[in-house]
Coordinates of all heavy atoms in Angstrom, one line a residue:
A25 N -23.6 17.3 22.6 CA -23.7 18.7 22.9 C -23.2 18.9 24.3 O -23.3 18.1 25.2 CB -25.2 19.1 22.9
A26 N -22.5 20.1 24.5 CA -22.0 20.4 25.8 C -23.2 20.9 26.6 O -23.9 21.9 26.3 CB -21.0 21.5 25.7
E27 N -23.6 20.2 27.7 CA -24.7 20.5 28.5 C -24.3 20.8 30.0 O -23.5 20.1 30.5 CB -25.7 19.3 28.5 CG -27.0 19.6 29.3 CD -28.0 18.5 29.2 OE1 -28.3 18.0 28.1 OE2 -28.5 18.0 30.2
V28 N -24.8 21.9 30.5 CA -24.7 22.3 31.9 C -26.0 22.3 32.6 O -27.0 22.9 32.1 CB -24.1 23.7 31.9 CG1 -23.9 24.2 33.4 CG2 -22.7 23.8 31.2
P29 N -26.1 21.5 33.6 CA -27.5 21.4 34.3 C -27.9 22.7 34.9 O -27.1 23.6 35.3 CB -27.3 20.3 35.3 CG -25.9 20.3 35.6 CD -25.2 20.7 34.3
A30 N -29.2 22.8 35.2 CA -29.8 24.0 35.9 C -29.2 24.0 37.4 O -28.8 23.0 37.9 CB -31.2 23.9 35.9
S31 N -29.4 25.2 38.0 CA -28.9 25.3 39.4 C -29.8 26.3 40.1 O -30.6 27.0 39.5 CB -27.5 25.7 39.5 OG -27.3 27.0 38.9
F32 N -29.7 26.3 41.4 CA -30.5 27.3 42.2 C -29.7 27.7 43.4 O -28.7 27.1 43.8 CB -31.8 26.7 42.7 CG -31.8 25.8 43.8 CD1 -32.2 26.2 45.1 CD2 -31.3 24.5 43.7 CE1 -32.1 25.4 46.2 CE2 -31.2 23.7 44.8 CZ -31.6 24.1 46.1
D33 N -30.1 28.9 43.9 CA -29.3 29.5 45.1 C -30.1 29.0 46.4 O -31.2 29.4 46.6 CB -29.4 31.0 45.0 CG -28.6 31.6 46.1 OD1 -28.1 30.9 47.0 OD2 -28.5 32.8 46.1
P34 N -29.5 28.1 47.1 CA -30.1 27.6 48.3 C -30.4 28.6 49.4 O -31.3 28.5 50.3 CB -29.2 26.5 48.9 CG -27.9 26.7 48.2 CD -28.2 27.5 46.9
K35 N -29.7 29.8 49.3 CA -30.0 30.8 50.3 C -31.4 31.5 50.0 O -32.0 32.0 50.9 CB -28.9 31.9 50.2 CG -27.6 31.4 50.7 CD -26.5 32.4 50.5 CE -25.1 31.8 50.7 NZ -24.1 32.6 50.2
N36 N -31.7 31.5 48.7 CA -33.0 32.2 48.3 C -34.1 31.2 48.1 O -35.3 31.6 47.8 CB -32.7 33.0 47.0 CG -31.8 34.1 47.1 OD1 -31.7 34.7 48.2 ND2 -31.1 34.4 46.1
C37 N -33.9 30.0 48.4 CA -34.9 29.0 48.1 C -34.9 27.9 49.3 O -34.1 26.9 49.2 CB -34.7 28.3 46.8 SG -36.1 27.2 46.3
K38 N -35.6 28.2 50.3 CA -35.6 27.2 51.4 C -37.0 26.7 51.7 O -38.0 27.3 51.4 CB -35.2 28.0 52.7 CG -33.7 28.3 52.6 CD -33.2 29.0 53.9 CE -31.8 29.4 53.8 NZ -31.2 29.8 55.0
A39 N -37.0 25.5 52.2 CA -38.3 24.8 52.6 C -38.5 25.0 54.1 O -37.6 25.1 54.8 CB -38.2 23.3 52.2
E40 N -39.8 25.2 54.4 CA -40.1 25.4 55.8 C -40.2 24.0 56.4 O -40.9 23.0 55.9 CB -41.5 26.1 55.9 CG -41.8 26.4 57.3 CD -43.1 27.3 57.4 OE1 -43.3 28.1 56.5 OE2 -43.8 27.2 58.4
Y41 N -39.6 23.8 57.6 CA -39.6 22.5 58.3 C -41.0 22.2 58.7 O -41.7 23.0 59.4 CB -38.7 22.7 59.6 CG -37.8 21.5 59.8 CD1 -36.4 21.7 59.7 CD2 -38.3 20.2 60.2 CE1 -35.5 20.6 60.0 CE2 -37.5 19.2 60.4 CZ -36.1 19.4 60.3 OH -35.3 18.3 60.5
P42 N -41.5 21.1 58.3 CA -42.9 20.7 58.7 C -43.0 20.6 60.3 O -42.1 20.0 60.9 CB -43.0 19.3 58.1 CG -42.0 19.2 57.0 CD -40.9 20.1 57.5
K43 N -44.1 21.1 60.8 CA -44.2 21.1 62.3 C -44.2 19.8 62.9 O -43.6 19.6 63.9 CB -45.5 21.8 62.6 CG -45.5 23.3 62.4 CD -46.8 24.1 62.7 CE -46.6 25.5 62.3 NZ -47.8 26.3 62.6
A44 N -44.9 18.8 62.3 CA -44.9 17.4 62.8 C -43.5 16.8 62.8 O -43.1 16.2 63.7 CB -45.8 16.5 62.0
S45 N -42.7 17.2 61.8 CA -41.3 16.7 61.7 C -40.5 17.3 62.8 O -39.6 16.6 63.3 CB -40.7 16.9 60.3 OG -41.4 16.2 59.4
L46 N -40.7 18.6 63.1 CA -40.0 19.2 64.2 C -40.3 18.6 65.5 O -39.4 18.3 66.3 CB -40.4 20.7 64.2 CG -39.7 21.7 63.3 CD1 -40.4 23.1 63.4 CD2 -38.2 21.8 63.6
M47 N -41.6 18.4 65.7 CA -42.0 17.7 67.0 C -41.4 16.3 67.2 O -41.1 15.9 68.2 CB -43.5 17.7 67.1 CG -44.1 19.1 67.3 SD -45.9 19.2 67.3 CE -46.5 17.7 68.0
N48 N -41.3 15.6 66.0 CA -40.8 14.2 66.1 C -39.3 14.1 65.9 O -38.7 13.1 65.8 CB -41.5 13.4 65.0 CG -43.0 13.2 65.3 OD1 -43.4 13.0 66.5 ND2 -43.8 13.2 64.2
E49 N -38.7 15.3 65.8 CA -37.2 15.5 65.6 C -36.7 14.7 64.4 O -35.7 14.0 64.5 CB -36.5 15.0 66.9 CG -36.8 16.0 68.1 CD -36.1 15.6 69.4 OE1 -35.4 14.6 69.4 OE2 -36.2 16.4 70.3
E50 N -37.4 14.8 63.4 CA -37.0 14.1 62.1 C -35.9 14.8 61.3 O -36.0 16.0 61.3 CB -38.2 13.8 61.2 CG -39.3 13.0 61.8 CD -40.6 12.9 61.0 OE1 -40.8 13.7 60.1 OE2 -41.4 12.1 61.4
Q51 N -34.9 14.1 60.9 CA -33.9 14.7 60.1 C -33.5 13.8 58.9 O -33.8 12.5 59.1 CB -32.6 14.9 60.9 CG -32.8 15.8 62.2 CD -31.4 16.0 62.9 OE1 -30.7 16.8 62.6 NE2 -31.2 15.2 63.9
G52 N -32.9 14.3 57.9 CA -32.5 13.4 56.8 C -32.2 14.2 55.6 O -32.5 15.5 55.5
T53 N -31.8 13.6 54.6 CA -31.5 14.2 53.3 C -32.3 13.7 52.2 O -32.4 12.4 52.0 CB -30.0 14.1 52.9 OG1 -29.2 14.7 53.9 CG2 -29.7 14.8 51.6
V54 N -33.0 14.5 51.5 CA -33.9 14.1 50.4 C -33.1 14.3 49.1 O -32.5 15.4 48.8 CB -35.1 15.0 50.3 CG1 -36.1 14.5 49.2 CG2 -35.8 15.1 51.6
S55 N -33.1 13.4 48.2 CA -32.4 13.5 46.9 C -33.5 13.6 45.8 O -34.4 12.7 45.8 CB -31.5 12.3 46.6 OG -30.4 12.3 47.5
M56 N -33.5 14.6 45.0 CA -34.5 14.9 44.0 C -34.0 15.2 42.7 O -32.7 15.6 42.6 CB -35.4 16.1 44.5 CG -36.1 15.9 45.8 SD -36.6 17.4 46.6 CE -35.0 18.1 47.1
A57 N -34.7 15.1 41.6 CA -34.3 15.5 40.3 C -35.4 16.4 39.8 O -36.6 16.2 40.0 CB -34.1 14.4 39.4
F58 N -35.0 17.6 39.1 CA -35.9 18.5 38.6 C -35.6 18.7 37.1 O -34.5 18.9 36.8 CB -35.8 19.8 39.3 CG -36.2 19.8 40.8 CD1 -35.2 19.6 41.8 CD2 -37.5 19.9 41.2 CE1 -35.6 19.5 43.1 CE2 -37.9 19.8 42.5 CZ -36.9 19.6 43.5
L59 N -36.7 18.8 36.3 CA -36.6 19.2 34.9 C -36.9 20.7 34.9 O -38.0 21.1 35.2 CB -37.6 18.4 34.1 CG -37.6 18.7 32.6 CD1 -36.2 18.4 32.0 CD2 -38.7 17.9 31.9
V60 N -35.9 21.5 34.6 CA -36.0 22.9 34.6 C -36.1 23.4 33.2 O -35.2 23.1 32.3 CB -34.8 23.5 35.3 CG1 -35.0 25.1 35.4 CG2 -34.8 22.9 36.8
S61 N -37.0 24.2 32.9 CA -37.2 24.8 31.5 C -36.1 25.9 31.3 O -35.4 26.3 32.2 CB -38.6 25.4 31.4 OG -38.7 26.6 32.2
A62 N -36.1 26.4 30.0 CA -35.1 27.4 29.7 C -35.4 28.7 30.3 O -34.5 29.6 30.4 CB -35.2 27.6 28.1
D63 N -36.6 28.9 30.9 CA -36.9 30.2 31.6 C -36.7 30.0 33.2 O -36.9 31.0 33.9 CB -38.3 30.6 31.4 CG -39.4 29.8 32.0 OD1 -39.1 28.8 32.6 OD2 -40.6 30.1 31.8
G64 N -36.2 28.8 33.6 CA -35.9 28.6 35.0 C -37.0 28.0 35.9 O -36.8 27.8 37.0
S65 N -38.2 27.8 35.3 CA -39.3 27.2 36.1 C -39.2 25.7 36.0 O -38.7 25.1 35.1 CB -40.6 27.7 35.5 OG -40.8 27.3 34.2
V66 N -39.7 25.0 37.1 CA -39.7 23.6 37.2 C -40.8 23.0 36.4 O -42.0 23.4 36.6 CB -39.8 23.1 38.6 CG1 -39.9 21.7 38.7 CG2 -38.5 23.6 39.4
V67 N -40.5 22.1 35.4 CA -41.5 21.5 34.6 C -42.0 20.2 35.2 O -43.1 19.7 35.1 CB -40.9 21.2 33.2 CG1 -41.9 20.5 32.3 CG2 -40.5 22.6 32.6
D68 N -41.0 19.5 35.8 CA -41.3 18.1 36.3 C -40.3 17.9 37.5 O -39.2 18.5 37.5 CB -41.1 17.0 35.3 CG -41.7 15.7 35.6 OD1 -42.4 15.6 36.6 OD2 -41.4 14.7 34.9
S69 N -40.7 16.9 38.4 CA -39.8 16.7 39.5 C -40.0 15.2 39.9 O -41.0 14.6 39.6 CB -40.0 17.5 40.7 OG -41.4 17.3 41.2
K70 N -39.0 14.6 40.5 CA -39.1 13.2 40.9 C -38.2 13.0 42.1 O -37.1 13.6 42.2 CB -38.8 12.2 39.9 CG -37.5 12.3 39.2 CD -37.3 11.3 38.0 CE -36.1 11.6 37.3 NZ -35.9 10.7 36.1
L71 N -38.7 12.1 43.0 CA -37.9 11.8 44.2 C -36.9 10.7 43.9 O -37.3 9.7 43.3 CB -38.9 11.3 45.3 CG -38.3 10.9 46.6 CD1 -37.7 12.1 47.4 CD2 -39.4 10.3 47.5
E72 N -35.7 11.0 44.1 CA -34.6 10.0 43.8 C -34.3 9.1 45.0 O -34.2 7.9 44.8 CB -33.3 10.7 43.3 CG -33.5 11.6 42.1 CD -33.0 10.9 40.9 OE1 -31.9 10.5 40.8 OE2 -33.8 10.8 39.9
K73 N -34.2 9.7 46.2 CA -34.0 9.0 47.4 C -34.6 9.7 48.6 O -34.5 10.9 48.7 CB -32.5 8.9 47.6 CG -32.1 8.1 48.9 CD -30.6 7.9 49.0 CE -30.3 7.2 50.3 NZ -28.9 7.4 50.8
T74 N -35.4 8.9 49.3 CA -36.1 9.5 50.5 C -35.2 9.9 51.7 O -34.2 9.3 51.8 CB -37.3 8.5 50.9 OG1 -37.9 9.1 52.0 CG2 -36.7 7.2 51.3
S75 N -35.7 10.8 52.4 CA -35.0 11.1 53.7 C -35.3 10.1 54.7 O -34.7 10.0 55.8 CB -35.5 12.5 54.2 OG -36.9 12.4 54.5
G76 N -36.4 9.3 54.5 CA -36.9 8.3 55.4 C -38.1 8.8 56.1 O -38.8 8.1 56.9
F77 N -38.5 10.1 55.7 CA -39.7 10.7 56.4 C -40.6 11.3 55.3 O -40.1 12.3 54.6 CB -39.3 11.7 57.5 CG -38.5 11.1 58.5 CD1 -37.1 11.2 58.5 CD2 -39.1 10.4 59.6 CE1 -36.4 10.7 59.5 CE2 -38.3 9.8 60.6 CZ -37.0 10.0 60.6
K78 N -41.8 10.9 55.1 CA -42.7 11.4 54.0 C -42.9 12.9 54.1 O -42.9 13.6 53.1 CB -44.0 10.7 54.0 CG -44.0 9.3 53.5 CD -45.3 8.7 53.4 CE -45.2 7.3 52.8 NZ -46.5 6.7 52.6
N79 N -43.1 13.4 55.3 CA -43.3 14.9 55.5 C -42.1 15.7 55.0 O -42.3 16.8 54.4 CB -43.6 15.2 57.0 CG -45.0 14.9 57.4 OD1 -45.9 14.7 56.6 ND2 -45.2 14.7 58.7
L80 N -40.9 15.2 55.3 CA -39.7 16.0 54.9 C -39.6 15.9 53.3 O -39.3 16.9 52.7 CB -38.5 15.4 55.5 CG -38.4 15.6 57.0 CD1 -37.1 15.0 57.6 CD2 -38.5 17.1 57.4
D81 N -39.9 14.7 52.8 CA -39.8 14.5 51.3 C -40.8 15.4 50.6 O -40.4 16.2 49.7 CB -40.1 13.1 50.9 CG -39.0 12.1 51.5 OD1 -37.9 12.6 51.9 OD2 -39.3 10.9 51.5
K82 N -42.0 15.4 51.1 CA -43.1 16.3 50.5 C -42.8 17.8 50.5 O -42.9 18.5 49.6 CB -44.4 16.0 51.1 CG -45.1 14.7 50.7 CD -46.4 14.6 51.4 CE -47.1 13.3 51.1 NZ -48.4 13.1 51.7
A83 N -42.3 18.2 51.7 CA -42.0 19.6 51.9 C -40.9 20.1 51.0 O -40.9 21.2 50.4 CB -41.7 19.9 53.4
A84 N -39.9 19.3 50.9 CA -38.7 19.6 50.0 C -39.1 19.6 48.6 O -38.9 20.6 47.8 CB -37.5 18.6 50.2
M85 N -39.9 18.7 48.1 CA -40.4 18.7 46.7 C -41.2 19.8 46.4 O -41.1 20.5 45.3 CB -41.1 17.3 46.4 CG -40.3 16.1 46.5 SD -39.2 15.9 45.0 CE -40.4 15.5 43.8
K86 N -42.2 20.1 47.3 CA -43.1 21.2 47.1 C -42.4 22.5 47.0 O -42.6 23.4 46.1 CB -44.2 21.2 48.1 CG -45.2 22.3 47.9 CD -46.3 22.2 49.0 CE -47.4 23.3 48.8 NZ -48.3 23.3 49.9
S87 N -41.6 22.8 47.9 CA -40.9 24.1 48.1 C -39.9 24.3 46.9 O -39.9 25.4 46.3 CB -40.1 24.2 49.4 OG -41.0 24.2 50.5
L88 N -39.1 23.3 46.6 CA -38.1 23.5 45.6 C -38.7 23.5 44.2 O -38.2 24.2 43.3 CB -37.0 22.4 45.7 CG -35.8 22.8 46.5 CD1 -36.3 23.1 48.0 CD2 -34.8 21.8 46.5
S89 N -39.8 22.9 44.0 CA -40.6 22.9 42.7 C -41.0 24.3 42.4 O -41.2 24.7 41.3 CB -41.7 22.0 42.7 OG -41.3 20.6 42.7
A90 N -41.3 25.1 43.5 CA -41.8 26.5 43.3 C -40.6 27.5 43.2 O -40.9 28.6 42.8 CB -42.6 26.9 44.5
C91 N -39.4 27.0 43.3 CA -38.3 28.0 43.2 C -38.0 28.3 41.8 O -38.2 27.5 40.8 CB -37.0 27.3 43.8 SG -37.1 27.2 45.6
K92 N -37.3 29.4 41.6 CA -36.8 29.9 40.3 C -35.4 29.4 40.2 O -34.5 29.7 41.1 CB -36.9 31.3 40.1 CG -36.5 31.9 38.8 CD -37.6 31.7 37.9 CE -37.4 32.5 36.5 NZ -38.4 32.2 35.6
F93 N -35.1 28.6 39.2 CA -33.7 28.0 39.0 C -33.0 28.9 38.0 O -33.6 29.6 37.2 CB -33.8 26.6 38.5 CG -34.1 25.6 39.5 CD1 -35.3 25.5 40.1 CD2 -33.1 24.6 39.9 CE1 -35.6 24.5 41.1 CE2 -33.4 23.6 40.8 CZ -34.6 23.6 41.4
K94 N -31.7 28.8 38.0 CA -30.9 29.3 36.9 C -30.9 28.3 35.8 O -30.5 27.1 36.1 CB -29.5 29.6 37.3 CG -28.6 30.1 36.2 CD -27.1 30.3 36.7 CE -26.2 30.7 35.5 NZ -24.8 30.7 35.9
P95 N -31.4 28.5 34.6 CA -31.6 27.5 33.6 C -30.3 26.9 33.2 O -29.2 27.5 33.3 CB -32.1 28.3 32.4 CG -32.5 29.7 32.8 CD -31.8 29.9 34.1
G96 N -30.3 25.6 32.8 CA -29.2 24.9 32.3 C -29.0 25.4 30.9 O -29.7 26.2 30.3
T97 N -27.8 25.0 30.3 CA -27.6 25.4 28.9 C -27.1 24.1 28.1 O -26.6 23.1 28.7 CB -26.4 26.4 28.9 OG1 -25.2 25.8 29.5 CG2 -26.7 27.7 29.6
K98 N -27.3 24.3 26.8 CA -26.8 23.3 25.8 C -26.1 24.1 24.8 O -26.7 25.0 24.2 CB -27.9 22.5 25.2 CG -28.5 21.4 26.2 CD -29.6 20.6 25.5 CE -30.1 19.6 26.5 NZ -31.2 18.9 26.0
D99 N -24.8 23.8 24.6 CA -24.0 24.6 23.7 C -24.1 26.1 24.0 O -24.1 26.9 23.0 CB -24.4 24.3 22.2 CG -24.1 22.9 21.8 OD1 -23.1 22.3 22.4 OD2 -24.8 22.3 21.0
G100 N -24.1 26.5 25.2 CA -24.1 27.9 25.6 C -25.4 28.6 25.6 O -25.5 29.7 26.1
A101 N -26.5 28.0 25.2 CA -27.8 28.6 25.1 C -28.7 28.0 26.2 O -28.6 26.8 26.5 CB -28.4 28.4 23.7
P102 N -29.5 28.9 26.9 CA -30.5 28.3 27.8 C -31.3 27.2 27.2 O -31.8 27.3 26.1 CB -31.3 29.5 28.2 CG -30.5 30.7 27.8 CD -29.7 30.3 26.7
A103 N -31.5 26.1 28.0 CA -32.2 25.0 27.5 C -32.8 24.2 28.7 O -32.4 24.3 29.8 CB -31.3 24.0 26.8
Q104 N -33.8 23.4 28.3 CA -34.5 22.6 29.3 C -33.5 21.4 29.7 O -33.0 20.7 28.9 CB -35.8 22.0 28.8 CG -36.5 21.1 29.8 CD -37.9 20.8 29.3 OE1 -38.8 21.6 29.2 NE2 -38.1 19.6 28.7
T105 N -33.2 21.3 31.0 CA -32.3 20.2 31.5 C -32.8 19.7 32.8 O -33.5 20.3 33.6 CB -30.8 20.8 31.7 OG1 -30.9 21.9 32.7 CG2 -30.3 21.3 30.4
W106 N -32.3 18.4 33.1 CA -32.5 17.8 34.4 C -31.4 18.2 35.3 O -30.3 18.3 34.9 CB -32.6 16.3 34.3 CG -33.9 15.8 33.8 CD1 -34.2 15.4 32.5 CD2 -35.0 15.5 34.6 NE1 -35.5 15.0 32.5 CE2 -36.0 15.0 33.8 CE3 -35.4 15.7 36.0 CZ2 -37.4 14.7 34.2 CZ3 -36.6 15.4 36.4 CH2 -37.6 14.9 35.5
T107 N -31.7 18.4 36.6 CA -30.7 18.7 37.5 C -31.0 17.9 38.8 O -32.2 17.7 39.1 CB -30.5 20.2 37.8 OG1 -29.4 20.4 38.6 CG2 -31.7 20.8 38.5
K108 N -30.0 17.5 39.6 CA -30.2 16.8 40.8 C -29.9 17.7 42.0 O -29.0 18.6 41.9 CB -29.3 15.6 40.9 CG -29.7 14.6 39.8 CD -28.8 13.3 39.9 CE -29.2 12.5 38.8 NZ -29.7 11.2 39.1
V109 N -30.8 17.6 43.0 CA -30.6 18.4 44.2 C -30.7 17.5 45.4 O -31.7 16.7 45.5 CB -31.7 19.5 44.3 CG1 -31.6 20.3 45.6 CG2 -31.6 20.5 43.1
D110 N -29.8 17.7 46.4 CA -29.9 17.0 47.7 C -30.3 18.1 48.7 O -29.6 19.1 48.7 CB -28.6 16.4 48.1 CG -28.2 15.2 47.3 OD1 -29.2 14.6 46.6 OD2 -27.1 14.9 47.2
Y111 N -31.4 17.9 49.4 CA -31.8 18.8 50.4 C -31.7 18.2 51.8 O -32.4 17.2 52.1 CB -33.3 19.3 50.1 CG -33.6 20.6 50.9 CD1 -33.4 21.8 50.4 CD2 -34.2 20.5 52.1 CE1 -33.7 23.0 51.0 CE2 -34.6 21.7 52.8 CZ -34.3 22.9 52.2 OH -34.6 24.0 52.9
A112 N -30.9 18.8 52.7 CA -30.7 18.2 54.0 C -31.5 18.9 55.0 O -31.5 20.2 55.1 CB -29.2 18.4 54.4
W113 N -32.2 18.2 55.8 CA -33.1 18.6 56.9 C -32.3 18.3 58.2 O -32.0 17.2 58.5 CB -34.4 17.9 57.0 CG -35.3 18.2 55.8 CD1 -35.4 17.4 54.7 CD2 -36.2 19.3 55.6 NE1 -36.4 17.9 53.8 CE2 -36.8 19.1 54.4 CE3 -36.5 20.4 56.4 CZ2 -37.8 20.0 53.9 CZ3 -37.5 21.2 55.9 CH2 -38.1 21.0 54.7
K114 N -31.9 19.4 58.9 CA -31.1 19.3 60.1 C -31.7 20.1 61.2 O -32.0 21.3 61.0 CB -29.6 19.7 59.9 CG -28.9 18.8 59.0 CD -27.5 19.2 58.8 CE -26.8 18.3 57.8 NZ -25.4 18.8 57.6
L115 N -31.9 19.6 62.4 CA -32.3 20.3 63.5 C -31.1 21.0 64.2 O -30.1 20.3 64.4 CB -33.0 19.4 64.5 CG -34.3 18.8 64.0 CD1 -34.8 17.7 64.9 CD2 -35.3 19.8 63.8
D116 N -31.3 22.2 64.6 CA -30.1 22.9 65.2 C -30.2 22.7 66.8 O -31.1 22.6 67.4 CB -30.2 24.4 65.0 CG -29.9 24.6 63.5 OD1 -29.2 23.9 62.9 OD2 -30.4 25.6 63.0

Side-chain angles (χ1 to χ4, degrees):
E27 184 175 310
V28 176
S31 60
F32 79 105
D33 184 356
K35 294 176 190 164
N36 295 330
C37 187
K38 293 186 179 184
E40 188 174 328
Y41 224 112
K43 290 180 183 178
S45 296
L46 278 172
M47 290 175 33
N48 293 324
E49 298 181 353
E50 297 172 348
Q51 300 183 87
T53 301
V54 184
S55 296
M56 302 159 285
F58 295 96
L59 180 60
V60 180
S61 70
D63 71 0
S65 61
V66 174
V67 176
D68 194 10
S69 61
K70 58 185 174 183
L71 181 67
E72 300 259 305
K73 184 178 175 198
T74 180
S75 65
F77 302 99
K78 285 185 181 183
N79 285 339
L80 296 181
D81 297 345
K82 284 182 184 180
M85 291 287 287
K86 182 178 178 182
S87 295
L88 271 61
S89 289
C91 291
K92 187 76 168 178
F93 282 68
K94 178 182 176 190
T97 60
K98 286 184 182 172
D99 293 330
Q104 182 170 285
T105 60
W106 279 98
T107 189
K108 295 183 185 242
V109 176
D110 291 337
Y111 196 87
W113 295 96
K114 295 180 183 176
L115 296 169
D116 294 329

